[in-house]
Structure formats: structure tokens, C-alpha cells
Amino acid sequence: MSDSSRSSRETAEGAGWGSAEPGAYRQLMPPRTEKISWLDPRMLWAARNGVLASWLGDPTAGVRARWTAQRAAAGAPDDKVIRRDEPDRFSFLVLGDTGEGDEPQYAVVPGLLKEGRDTAFAILASDVIYPVGSADDYDAKFFRPYRDYRAPIYAIPGNHDWYEDLAGFMRVFCDDAPPLPPAPAPRPLTRAWLRSLLWHRPRPGDGGRLAEARTLRSAPAQQAVQPGPYWAIDAGPVRIVGIDTGLLGTVDAEQGAWLREISRGPRPKILVTGSPLYVDGAYHPCPIEGGGTVDDIVRDPGHHYVAAIGGDIHNYQRYPVRLDDGRTLQYVVAGGSGAFTHATHTIPRVDVAGVTERDFRCYPLRGDSLAFYSALYGRRLRLRRFFALTEAEAMAVIAERLGIGPTRAPGTPARVTRRMRLVAGVLGTGRRPDRGKRFRLPVRKAYTSVFSPGSATYSPPFFKSFLRVDVSPEAVRLRCHAATGLRAHEVDPPVEDEVTIPLT
């Protein structure tokens, strides 16, 4: 095995550092692609609905209820269960936060096609289309990249898919659902009235190119119809439950009641959600309107959940949480399949729900994340000689700040200097809890917001990832595969993490 085909936990070349042959993913891309930048005021204005919902009230629950009522009237099953005729042993893929339509998204495709060639279906977990879920964006950001994946694709929406009230998502995934009729006008001079004045809506004629785009995934074996934005899939011995957390990462009362009902029974279950329950070393149980949380349902021993997989955050993380009754639930973040990479070096030393650094896994490794960001901002600020850290320097300063051992097979350790410490601090690198009191989470998030990519990077390594899940009557095996944009990793996608979850 060459160094470049090993994982990032084994070699720097396995992470994508050093000179290596670029991948062939660019051959899959359209001649012109949209460059998304979250530093562009026009992009931020188009994506304003999340801010408006947090300030002026969130209309998501009402819109979702209208969509589900429409689908029920069209014949969707009341229990929202997709029943697939799979054998007791089958596999599926999970991708998260895919749809920027640029180099990082397409760099995932060759490895995905290789590892997914024998899978029964794929699931997109959150943010299918950036920036605002427009129907015409599905061509370059969904149908074209996955045209050679020969199995059905199901999806749960993320907040970006909701920025146009889910219209594009419902047309693509829910049997070409027609637009909702206009809602009654709100009473003047109310918060809802002000929100309606400012609300972003689809542009006239959006979706005009959708029929042509569908021809890229028109084979009968590729077709999938789901009953709405939330659903369950019965396949082999497991039930996969997908929930829609809308604009603000919550679940409405109607969906919560469905989730409680669909979760009953002894069948092993896997949750897929747009809002991860454990992320960045913190717990986010996801409130349900009217009381309770999604995690209350997941932890209930009568519901038999074995894993909860969430998108939204653009990297990979895993937290094996041991419950009071002795079971271990795998909480996974899997949003690294296309959109710009969220930093992992900002994650403080993990100590949450009994999960410590010994148990926690992430990709990219924190040192690789810090090296990636330091090079990015060295270029942007034209301070490469000062700002850019080598991967060895980044690994060394991460180990010092967090008080952990090396996460890569040890080589010659780099000596930590004042410059390295300063760069790590400016880029929001996490700390040990006993040293982080003056660097509390809100401050760290502020650093992360200022020094985040804001737009995708266009040359490898990209540090993207996807999951392959293998199911049998005895166990579920979950593997995180890396996609760096390098040819060696297209041919043989490295396994960055693997866990086997017993079902018996």
C-alpha cells in the first residue's frame, strides 16, 4: 500500500499533503460553475430567511404541514414509510451538505461511485442545494454530479433548502409536487406581516430547466419518490428515520408525534437528521414543539435506535455515547460531502456525555484542519510566510493546546514556536477545558465565523467525506471514506473511521 492510499491517521500523504496526481473529477463538471461565497453581500441577502425566522417568527411548521397535507391528498402513505424489498444484507450511502456545485462536491463523486457501486440507495442528509434551494440549481448540483450513481437517492432538507419554502426540494424528491397555493395574508403591522414583506421567494420561472436536468438521472433504477420532507425507510432488518429540522433546527409538534409513533417497536433504527445531536464537543438534543426532544426519543430503550447521523456541519465527527442502561449509541456528524469544510481544529478537548478524546473521532484531523486554514488565510491575507503552518507544525501546536498525543503515526515532531501559537490562537484553535475559561465557546465561535472559508477552495486536498453503511441481521458497519481530490484517493478512497454496531 502506498503512503497516498493510506488514511490521514497514518501518513501526511494519506491526508493529501505533498505533491500527488490530481484526480479526474473535473471531467465530470459542467463547463461553467457558480462560485458561492458567503462573504458576498448578495449571497447573504438571498439567504436572509433564516435570520428573519429567528427575529420575526419561524413559519416553517405551517408550511411543512401544508406540504404534508398536499402529499397525503396525492396518495402518500399516512405513516410516511417507504417500504423497500431489500435482503437482510445490504448497503447504502450517506452524504451530507452536498450542493455547492463546485470542485469539492465533484471531488467526492469518483470515490462515491466506486464504494457505492453495489449499494441499494443513497441518502442526502441536509442542504441538498446552496445557496437557497432553487429548482434550477438542481442541474449542476444534484442531477449532474450523481448521474452515474445507478440507485435511488432520498433526501432530508436542510435550512438552505428551506430558503425558498422547500419548493425546489418537493418538486425533485416528492413526485414533482406542484407549488403550494398562496397562504392567507397576515394581519398588517404584525411581525408576520413584516416578515412576509422581507421574505425571499423563488424567482419567477424558477424550475424551467428542471425537465431537461431530470434526463441525467432518468433510468428506472434511479427513481425514488418519498412521501414528504420527513419519512422512514424499511429496508432489510432496519428502519431508517429521516426528520426535517427546518430553518432553525427544531421539530414541530405534528412531526414530533409522527416521530414518536414511527419509532416504536423492536426493529433497529438509524436516525438521519439535518441537525446533529452531538457536534463540536457539545450536546444539542433538538427540541420538539410542545415538549421533549428528538434525543429523548432516540435514547428511549423501547425504540431501539443504534445511531443518529446528522448533516449541517461540513465535516465528520463521531461520539460513541454510553447510556445508563449499558447501550452505546453512535452519534455521527456527516456533513462533509460537498460544501466548504468547517474547521475541526476549533473543537475543544472533548469531554461530553462520557465521551473523551480517546473515543472521539473527526475528519479532517484537527492538525490538518489548522494547516488547511492557515494556508488559506496566508493566501488571502498575503502573509503566507507568517501565517501558513506545515501539517507537522499544526499537529504539534494542536497537541500542545489540547494536551493530547499525536493523532498521526509519529514522525519527527515540530518544535512549537510563538508564531505557531499565535496563528493557532487567531484561527480559534480549541483548548483543554482547564485552560479555556477565558476563551469560552461564544468567543471561539466568533473567531470561527471570521476565519472560516466563506467560499469553497478549488484545489486539493479538500478533506471531503461520505459514509458507507453495511447492514446485516447481526450488525451495522459504518465507514467514513475520505475524498481529497487526488487521483489515488479516487481509485482507493481511504477509510478514515470505521465502527461496527451490534444489532443483537
Side-chain angles (χ1 to χ4, degrees):
M1 179 184 292
S2 68
D3 282 349
S4 62
S5 63
R6 294 175 178 171
S7 80
S8 68
R9 289 184 168 271
E10 298 172 284
T11 68
E13 291 78 10
W17 300 117
S19 58
E21 181 185 357
Y25 62 89
R26 285 192 176 93
Q27 299 172 15
L28 306 173
M29 299 176 64
R32 297 182 61 184
T33 59
E34 178 187 21
K35 303 299 185 185
I36 291 178
S37 173
W38 297 107
L39 303 177
D40 183 344
R42 294 170 299 176
M43 198 73 68
L44 295 174
W45 176 243
R48 62 190 177 271
N49 285 1
V51 176
L52 293 175
S54 64
W55 288 354
L56 300 173
D58 184 2
T60 299
V63 177
R64 185 187 292 116
R66 295 169 65 208
W67 280 122
T68 55
Q70 182 205 78
R71 302 319 303 146
D78 290 339
D79 61 4
K80 300 175 178 57
V81 176
I82 303 161
R83 292 173 172 87
R84 294 188 54 86
D85 185 20
E86 305 296 348
D88 283 348
R89 299 177 187 275
F90 75 98
S91 302
F92 66 96
L93 300 176
V94 179
L95 297 82
D97 298 79
T98 52
E100 287 196 348
D102 48 21
E103 280 88 345
Q105 179 177 8
Y106 280 85
V108 175
V109 173
L112 177 155
L113 294 177
K114 182 178 186 300
E115 291 299 324
R117 63 191 181 279
D118 60 343
T119 53
F121 54 88
I123 296 172
L124 301 186
S126 181
D127 291 341
V128 181
I129 299 295
Y130 292 92
V132 293
S134 300
D136 279 335
D137 283 347
Y138 274 83
D139 182 349
K141 301 175 183 180
F142 174 72
F143 289 106
R144 183 175 297 275
Y146 308 125
R147 60 186 170 182
D148 293 326
Y149 179 68
R150 308 312 297 173
I153 300 176
Y154 303 96
I156 57 167
N159 57 309
H160 287 268
D161 302 304
W162 269 101
Y163 287 164
E164 291 191 349
D165 290 337
L166 220 59
F169 181 97
M170 295 297 291
R171 290 186 65 177
V172 170
F173 293 105
C174 299
D175 201 21
D176 204 16
L180 291 174
R187 190 160 49 88
L189 303 180
T190 62
R191 295 170 71 209
W193 172 78
L194 179 58
R195 184 185 65 219
S196 71
L197 292 180
L198 298 173
W199 201 251
H200 171 85
R201 293 179 176 83
R203 64 183 179 272
D206 183 49
R209 300 194 298 271
L210 201 49
E212 181 181 355
R214 289 183 191 276
T215 64
L216 297 171
R217 280 187 52 84
S218 59
Q222 294 176 309
Q223 304 313 299
V225 175
Q226 59 189 60
Y230 58 93
W231 41 257
I233 298 173
D234 283 351
V238 300
R239 170 170 283 181
I240 304 158
V241 180
I243 62 172
D244 168 19
T245 56
L247 283 169
L248 301 181
T250 61
V251 168
D252 63 277
E254 180 181 318
Q255 184 180 183
W258 170 86
L259 179 60
R260 291 185 177 95
E261 181 64 30
I262 210 72
S263 298
R264 293 187 175 127
R267 192 171 194 157
K269 298 172 186 73
I270 299 169
L271 181 77
V272 182
T273 170
S275 299
L277 304 180
Y278 284 88
V279 61
D280 292 349
Y283 178 47
H284 301 276
C286 189
I288 297 174
E289 181 187 20
T293 69
V294 169
D295 199 40
D296 292 338
I297 297 171
V298 169
R299 288 172 178 253
D300 188 323
H303 295 160
H304 297 273
Y305 279 89
V306 297
I309 302 171
D312 189 51
I313 303 302
H314 307 167
N315 54 44
Y316 171 83
Q317 302 173 41
R318 181 170 64 84
Y319 301 81
V321 176
R322 187 170 179 83
L323 305 182
D324 293 341
D325 60 10
R327 295 177 298 137
T328 297
L329 266 170
Q330 300 291 338
Y331 290 88
V332 177
V333 178
S337 304
F340 70 86
T341 300
H342 276 137
T344 58
H345 66 266
T346 58
I347 302 172
R349 180 167 170 160
V350 170
D351 185 6
V352 58
V355 179
T356 65
E357 282 292 326
R358 183 181 62 182
D359 315 303
F360 170 69
R361 295 291 183 272
C362 68
Y363 177 79
L365 299 178
R366 290 183 180 97
D368 290 329
S369 171
L370 179 58
F372 172 86
Y373 270 76
S374 70
L376 176 68
Y377 278 92
R379 292 193 301 271
R380 287 189 176 176
L381 301 176
R382 300 185 180 182
L383 294 171
R384 293 190 189 192
R385 293 186 62 182
F386 172 77
F387 227 84
L389 303 178
T390 67
E391 56 83 20
E393 290 173 334
M395 288 285 180
V397 74
I398 288 284
E400 179 186 85
R401 288 176 71 92
L402 294 182
I404 61 176
T407 48
R408 183 132 63 217
T412 304
R415 183 176 66 87
V416 179
T417 66
R418 294 176 65 183
R419 178 187 70 89
M420 293 158 57
R421 293 187 183 105
L422 178 59
V423 170
V426 167
L427 291 178
T429 305
R431 283 181 172 269
R432 290 185 286 180
D434 60 337
R435 292 188 179 181
K437 291 182 179 179
R438 64 182 179 86
F439 196 71
R440 294 184 185 274
L441 189 61
V443 179
R444 186 172 60 84
K445 284 187 174 180
Y447 274 111
T448 308
S449 297
V450 173
F451 291 98
S452 67
S455 57
T457 50
Y458 303 115
S459 58
F462 293 122
F463 297 109
K464 298 290 94 187
S465 59
F466 63 92
L467 306 185
R468 176 181 168 119
V469 184
D470 301 312
V471 179
S472 73
E474 300 80 30
V476 169
R477 182 179 68 171
L478 184 154
R479 285 183 292 173
C480 171
H481 287 277
T484 62
L486 299 178
R487 180 61 179 160
H489 296 161
E490 292 180 345
V491 173
D492 186 14
V495 177
E496 289 293 335
D497 186 34
E498 179 175 330
V499 62
T500 298
I501 308 167
L503 298 184
T504 56

